[in-house]
Each structure stands twice: as C-alpha cells, then as structure tokens.
Amino acid sequence: MIKFLFDRDTWQEIYSSIRKNKLRTGITIIGVMWGIFLLVVLLGAARGVGNKFDTIFGDFATNSVFIWGQQTSMPFKGFQEGKQLRLKRADVGKIEAEIKGIEYILPRNITNSLVVNETKTLTTGVFGDYPLLDLLQKKHMVFGRFINENDIVYKKKVCVIENETYKQLFDKGVNPLGTYLTINEVSYQIVGLYKNQMRMGGPQGGIHIPFTTFQQVYNQADNIGWLMVTASEGFDIRQMEEDIKLMLRNIHSVHPEDERAFGSFNMGDQISKVTGFLTGMQFLTWFVGIATLIAGVFAIGNILLITVKERTNEIGIRRALGAKPAEIRRQIILESIFLTTIAGTLGIIFGGLVLMLINAAVGQGDEATLVNPTVDIPVILIAFATLVVLGTLIGLIPAQRAVSIRPIEALREE
Amino acid sequence: MIEIKNLHKSYPMGKESLHVLKGLNLKIEEGEFVSIMGSSGSGKSTLLNIVGLLDVHDEGDYILNGELIENLNEKKAAVLRNKFLGFVFQSFNLINYKTALENVSLPLYYAGVGRKERQETAMEYLEKVGLGAWANHLPSELSGGQKQRVAIARALVTQPKVILADEPTGALDSTTTDSVMDLLKEINNEGMTVFVITHEEEVAEQSKRIVRLKDGVIISDEKVNQKVKA
C-alpha cells in the first residue's frame, strides 16, 4: 500500500482522470470546499463574538451584585408597610464583618444635577465614588486619573467625567483637564476623562466626584445610594445576595420575608444568560458546519458514483488487461481522498483569508463587532481529518460498485 | 494450449434460461491460428468470453495452459488474464485519455513491471506494429486501423500465450482489414497462438483453422489451405 501511494503511476492515473473531467472535478471540489470554508468562517465569527463579549465583561467584575433600599411591603415591629429604606454607611462594616467570602464591598451614591461649563449645560447623573470602583468596573482613562484616596480623605472638589458627558459639555478637541465644571453651583476641577466600553450593570457614565465630597455637598450624612458587592473565588454570589439582603432586613427592622424591601441586581445571572447564548451559537455553528461538510462529502461520493458509471467501460478494459479488483478499488478511493484533501485545503485557506478580511474590516479597535475572529489549529486538523475519513468511507461505495460490475458487462458498455 | 471439454453455458432470461453453449469440445494447440465463425447468436462471443476468463462456464472443463479453470475469483482471473491472455476487441477499447504508448504499457503496469522497463517494452511493441512515430498520440488522433494496431500491441506486450480477438476487423474497411489481418498472421508466424472470432468469410479464410458454430454447437472444424498471395 505504501509503495502504491508513492508510485508515480498512481498519481498519474489520478491526474489524468481528473484532467479528463475538469468541470466535474471542479464542482465537486467547490462543494467540499464550501463546507469546510463555512465551518472555518462560522467558527471564526463565533469566536469573534465570544471575544467581543469577553472584552466587554472583562471590564466588569462578573461575580458582582448590586443592592439598594426600596420600600417595605410588610408591616413589622410596629412599622407600617411602605417605609422608605436607605442603606447606611454603617451597614457596610456590618456586612463585611458578618458575611463570608466578600471580595469587595463598595458603597455608591448618585443624584441628578445641573452641570455647567461656560455656556453649555447638562443635567446628568453625578456619582459619589471611591477609587475602588475603577477595580470593579474598569475605567479606561483617556486623560488624567480616577478619584484617589487623597480626594476621599480631603473631600476634594474634583471630578472625573465620562467621554459622552465630555462631548456634550466641551467643544471638540478641547483638553478638559484642569478646567472647572459647575455642578449645582459648586465648582469642581476635572482630573480625569475616561471612555466607557459599554453601558451596563447599573447607572454609569456621567460625572464622578469623591464619595466623601458627595456626602458633604449633598447633605447625605450616612446614606448610601446602593452597594456593589463582589464574591471571592469559590463563593456563590447568589447565596451571598440572599444572605446580605436577609441581614439588611434584620438591621433595618424589616420583616425577614419581605422580599421587596431591598432590591438587587445580579451581574452573574445576566452574564450567564449571555454566555449560554454564546454556547448555543457555538453549537449551532458546529452543527451547520459539520452538516455542510457531510453534504460536501456526499457530493464527492455522488460524483464518484457517476464517474464510475461513466468509466464502466474503462474499468472493464483495465480488468481485461489484468487489473485486480483491489487495484481498481483503491484507485477510486484514493481519488476520493485526493479530491477531499485538495478541497479541504482550499476551503481552509479561503476560510482563513475571509477571517483575515473580517478581522481587518471590523475586528480591531474599540468599536469592533468581532474581536480576533480565529479558529484553533487543532479544531481545523480534526475537521480536516474527519473530512478525509468521510471521503474515504464515501469513496468505498463507488469503489465497490466499480468492482461489482463484471468485466464482461463493463466491456459491453459503450 | 486451450482445451474445452463438454462446455455448457446458459444465461437466465427471466424465468426461462437461454442455453447458449451446448456441450462444446475444442482443442487448440500452441501456435495455431483459429477462427470461430458463426452468425450472431451462435454463441461465439460467449465462447470467447469464457476462454478469455471474462465469464464463467456452467458445466464441463476448461484447461488453459495446462491449468484447469475452476473456482475462479476475480483476483485470480485478473492475474491469469494478465499473464496468459491478450485481448483485441472490435471497438478497440483503448482508454481515450491515454496516449498510444500509455495504452500499450497499461497491462505491464498491472503485471507490476517497473516504469522504465514498461516504457521501453511498450515502445518496442508499438514499433513492431509500425506505430513508433505515433507513441504520444491520443486514440482520437489515430485512424481505425492504427487504433487496432495499438490494441494488438497492447495485447502482445505481456507476451501472453494466446491472443483473443473478438471481431478485430468488424469496425474497419477492407484495406485496413487486410493490414490488421496481415499483422495477426505475422504474429502467428512468430509462434503466437491466435484465436479470432468473426462472421466474415474473408477474415476467417486468412486463418489456419476454421471452427464453425451454430446454435451453440460446433458444426464443422477444418484446416484451411492458405492461399499464398501473389
């Protein structure tokens, strides 16, 4: 068999058979090529979408939950239902001391304020924040810095603005660093400008000022707008969410079963929905790709069957001249393998080129829709091997047919 | 060389079966030039197919080159065909996308002969049939007579024991018929056993022995006194 594979005549036979039927061979090759091409491109695109989501989620702590106070829905300990609840600064320490597995706990505040820059005005969310926010929701600084410890300690009148807010308050190209914004008639110096990748996971954008400054300026005393909590590795964020809410009900004298007293939003839940969708998409990609591949392989089998039919006479001649059935059979199988290999290689090359084009067109930069659309080499090799194996198996059908025709009948065929 | 004893062959035709060969006895010695004559349906093609190991007989014995042919599988038949038999067909049966040389060397390929030797031997036989200059031509570029010469060269190239020719001149005009027959005679004169099937008197008369078949039985078997051409 090895000798047969390296025999020049073997390939000469295949070459002449293919050369003789250029159109037929071409169409067959295109069929299989299309299959593997689709598989490569679809897998690459799916990977690109996955990467895109990864870059988005990469900016967020995915195992995080937001908790805020609402109104009670049950009377408890002499309080009527409908009591307005506000989280307190003191709650943070209590939660931290009591609940295990908390990685970070971050209080935040927000209020809508009128912001003025010379002649431009805007009403937007103003946040009171700690430097820790930068760790939980990555702020991509374009200029300057985020709020730091110093700002917190000295209750500085500084602010960090988001790009979209900046665009509405400044002329294009103006460097905002060091200039002052008037927020509710108080002046703040701009120390940083950042760009958001995507708005999700609670209120974002707007203007950030130090948490302590916010408390003072807006007379918030110990009130907190909401809490952002992240779980350490190995701790269940959903369990933590329940535990914290139960504890808060206890602290704030709320009925233990009053589910509506405290609101929460679990990022992990939202993200797992998206990743579930991604998994489904990947599965679909594989399914479509493999189905197309199989269709292509059947096309090869079909074409070879026609070939065998057309070449019945030739096969008869060869057998009259002394070709053993095994020789005829392996000739046809090898033809099948050869065609699938060529087609597969071409499909992978074209698929790769298209992915390169997609990457060049929409794969780079912040606005990229597909990030790094790629396919793993092992995946390609497996698909390729499958293709060749299927090509061999499907080649068996026409090969068997070729040898099952008796030479006398084959010779009669004109 | 070829010995047939009480050979029977029938083909199933629906529920009935068509009895084509009804107990043939025939013995062909080495170096003979035999022609089988008969009208269509006389069973002459069936006889050739059985002798050529392209078909199997139902009853009786067939001895080829001292070997009793029985329990023949395709693989064994292929080897025997390659070794002992050379075929010449009415419709030439050349492979149309191969050159004359490639067609002639094909049996050697299946005999397992190396590439270089194959080319040389094939060329030698092409020259023998006078087509050395046409070695690289495709069958479509050759005339009918030339095609048949290529086919004869292909039949000879493995140095078989018998040349089996099925209506070798059936598709040729009278001039080329003569030249092909001359070639067969020449081969025969060199000692090759030639077995021709024909329905043309003129062709049969050029052989050394005529066996006439009718309805599956031999009705006559006689030596020919060859006329020497003036």
Side-chain angles (χ1 to χ4, degrees):
Chain A
M1 191 65 197
I2 296 295
K3 184 178 166 289
F4 172 75
L5 274 182
F6 289 102
D7 192 352
R8 189 173 152 189
D9 298 293
T10 308
W11 297 102
Q12 195 108 42
E13 287 293 318
I14 289 175
Y15 171 70
S16 47
S17 155
I18 286 169
R19 192 187 54 183
K20 183 188 159 208
N21 305 292
K22 285 192 196 85
L23 180 69
R24 197 184 63 200
T25 310
I27 291 171
T28 313
I29 285 181
I30 288 170
V32 175
M33 200 183 87
W34 184 243
I36 199 144
F37 169 82
L38 271 186
L39 184 71
V40 169
V41 172
L42 284 176
L43 281 178
R47 165 72 61 88
V49 173
N51 284 345
K52 173 66 180 173
F53 278 105
D54 279 350
T55 56
I56 295 168
F57 297 149
D59 293 343
F60 295 93
T62 50
N63 55 343
S64 58
V65 63
F66 304 87
I67 300 173
W68 60 91
Q70 298 180 151
Q71 285 182 341
T72 56
S73 62
M74 291 173 170
F76 192 60
K77 285 190 177 170
F79 291 107
Q80 292 252 305
E81 60 180 87
K83 180 178 74 163
Q84 185 68 45
L85 295 168
R86 298 274 333 238
L87 296 178
K88 300 289 177 189
R89 189 71 186 82
D91 296 344
V92 175
K94 288 176 192 165
I95 291 170
E96 222 169 357
E98 198 71 20
I99 308 284
K100 275 188 185 137
I102 290 179
E103 188 184 25
Y104 297 113
I105 182 160
L106 173 69
R108 297 189 69 187
N109 261 325
I110 186 174
T111 180
N112 270 330
S113 296
L114 180 72
V115 184
V116 182
N117 174 42
E118 292 174 357
T119 56
K120 298 189 177 188
T121 62
L122 175 73
T123 302
T124 185
V126 173
F127 297 84
D129 275 320
Y130 282 100
L132 187 58
L133 182 69
D134 188 31
L135 213 65
L136 299 184
Q137 292 182 349
K138 181 71 196 149
K139 304 296 177 205
H140 296 268
M141 302 307 298
V142 181
F143 296 116
R145 59 173 176 85
F146 196 64
I147 291 158
N148 63 22
E149 279 303 326
N150 224 23
D151 299 336
I152 299 290
V153 173
Y154 296 104
K155 301 178 183 171
K156 286 192 170 179
K157 302 271 188 316
V158 293
C159 66
V160 174
I161 67 171
E162 196 255 342
N163 196 38
E164 292 302 316
T165 315
Y166 159 75
K167 281 183 191 166
Q168 294 177 59
L169 287 171
F170 288 87
D171 288 326
K172 210 177 175 184
V174 173
N175 185 350
L177 283 191
T179 61
Y180 288 85
L181 283 182
T182 309
I183 304 170
N184 272 9
E185 291 167 2
V186 179
S187 267
Y188 296 83
Q189 188 176 28
I190 298 176
V191 293
L193 170 70
Y194 73 90
K195 206 169 172 184
N196 244 352
Q197 293 292 354
M198 188 175 168
R199 290 174 176 239
M200 68 177 291
Q204 279 175 49
I207 295 171
H208 303 260
I209 62 175
F211 190 84
T212 47
T213 315
F214 189 99
Q215 277 182 314
Q216 196 178 50
V217 170
Y218 292 95
N219 250 334
Q220 287 296 315
D222 265 349
N223 286 337
I224 292 171
W226 73 98
L227 273 175
M228 194 171 166
V229 182
T230 64
S232 300
E233 189 81 26
F235 286 89
D236 182 7
I237 187 71
R238 299 171 83 169
Q239 185 57 47
M240 198 172 279
E241 178 184 355
E242 290 309 311
D243 291 348
I244 292 172
K245 279 163 85 176
L246 189 65
M247 191 178 160
L248 285 172
R249 281 180 218 133
N250 187 22
I251 296 169
H252 290 263
S253 300
V254 175
H255 192 285
E257 281 162 24
D258 190 346
E259 293 292 341
R260 279 194 259 164
F262 293 97
S264 60
F265 176 86
N266 193 328
M267 275 292 276
D269 270 4
Q270 306 307 312
I271 286 167
S272 71
K273 275 178 202 161
V274 177
T275 48
F277 162 75
L278 280 181
T279 313
M281 198 175 70
Q282 224 133 34
F283 173 77
L284 190 72
T285 301
W286 274 102
F287 183 79
V288 170
I290 287 172
T292 318
L293 262 192
I294 290 173
V297 170
F298 271 97
I300 284 198
N302 194 11
I303 288 289
L304 282 173
L305 264 179
I306 297 170
T307 314
V308 165
K309 184 100 182 81
E310 273 177 10
R311 289 166 72 190
T312 303
N313 177 248
E314 180 197 324
I315 290 166
I317 298 168
R318 286 172 183 274
R319 293 178 71 181
L321 298 181
K324 296 181 197 84
E327 284 169 320
I328 300 284
R329 198 182 286 135
R330 72 186 175 191
Q331 177 82 42
I332 288 163
I333 292 173
L334 200 64
E335 234 177 274
S336 167
I337 296 174
F338 181 72
L339 287 180
T340 41
T341 308
I342 292 283
T345 311
L346 287 175
I348 288 170
I349 290 172
F350 282 120
L353 284 177
V354 167
L355 286 183
M356 276 170 71
L357 287 177
I358 291 176
N359 188 40
V362 294
Q364 299 300 327
D366 292 340
E367 305 298 318
T369 40
L370 299 170
V371 177
N372 281 334
T374 49
V375 182
D376 291 334
I377 298 281
V379 169
I380 289 298
L381 290 182
I382 288 169
F384 195 75
T386 313
L387 187 67
V388 172
V389 168
L390 286 176
T392 313
L393 291 180
I394 208 80
L396 284 172
I397 299 170
Q400 195 48 46
R401 194 194 142 88
V403 294
S404 69
I405 304 170
R406 292 191 309 158
I408 167 106
E409 284 158 14
L411 278 172
R412 242 182 246 143
E413 194 110 357
E414 278 302 316
Chain B
M1 178 56 44
I2 289 172
E3 196 177 351
I4 283 164
K5 287 179 197 159
N6 193 29
L7 193 79
H8 285 269
K9 176 73 185 174
S10 11
Y11 290 107
M13 302 281 276
K15 279 182 185 174
E16 305 289 305
S17 84
L18 186 65
H19 202 176
V20 183
L21 297 180
K22 301 164 182 168
L24 292 193
N25 288 293
L26 185 66
K27 192 169 182 181
I28 298 169
E29 301 294 345
E30 195 165 351
E32 274 197 282
F33 190 166
V34 184
S35 51
I36 307 287
M37 286 228 30
S39 52
S40 62
S42 60
K44 58 187 197 304
S45 286
T46 306
L47 177 62
L48 182 103
N49 289 334
I50 290 169
V51 171
L53 302 174
L54 293 170
D55 206 348
V56 286
H57 55 279
D58 299 334
E59 240 179 83
D61 295 328
Y62 170 31
I63 298 157
L64 173 65
N65 199 34
E67 199 174 327
L68 181 68
I69 303 299
E70 55 182 355
N71 301 328
L72 202 63
N73 64 29
E74 266 307 326
K75 191 179 168 188
K76 212 162 115 191
V79 174
L80 290 176
R81 279 197 293 263
N82 188 266
K83 215 159 139 190
F84 296 129
L85 305 169
F87 289 92
V88 176
F89 301 96
Q90 177 177 5
S91 51
F92 322 125
N93 276 338
L94 297 176
I95 293 175
N96 56 20
Y97 59 87
K98 286 179 175 291
T99 64
L101 188 70
E102 285 167 344
N103 264 291
V104 175
S105 64
L106 199 57
L108 293 173
Y109 170 61
Y110 290 120
V113 177
R115 182 176 180 83
K116 197 154 177 268
E117 194 188 336
R118 217 158 63 212
Q119 298 258 13
E120 282 166 8
T121 317
M123 196 62 207
E124 189 185 309
Y125 278 89
L126 262 186
E127 271 159 11
K128 187 182 166 75
V129 299
L131 289 173
W134 302 86
N136 294 317
H137 286 244
L138 290 173
S140 56
E141 298 161 346
L142 301 174
S143 71
Q146 285 172 325
K147 281 185 208 172
Q148 201 57 301
R149 282 162 179 275
V150 172
I152 291 169
R154 183 178 66 181
L156 290 172
V157 78
T158 49
Q159 293 174 295
K161 296 286 180 191
V162 187
I163 295 291
L164 297 171
D166 185 8
E167 303 272 12
T169 60
L172 303 175
D173 61 40
S174 59
T175 328
T176 38
T177 295
D178 285 344
S179 75
V180 165
M181 287 313 291
D182 285 344
L183 182 58
L184 286 177
K185 274 189 278 184
E186 191 188 318
I187 292 159
N188 175 245
N189 287 338
E190 287 167 15
M192 180 68 73
T193 316
V194 180
F195 189 91
V196 175
I197 280 189
T198 184
H199 65 275
E200 289 172 78
E201 259 336 305
E202 311 89 82
V203 170
E205 274 167 12
Q206 297 191 51
S207 65
K208 292 177 182 167
R209 179 181 165 195
I210 301 176
V211 176
R212 286 175 203 276
L213 268 180
K214 196 181 180 189
D215 298 331
V217 289
I218 293 173
I219 51 167
S220 77
D221 184 348
E222 54 197 21
K223 291 266 191 293
V224 179
N225 298 317
Q226 287 209 13
K227 298 161 207 157
V228 180
K229 275 189 182 172

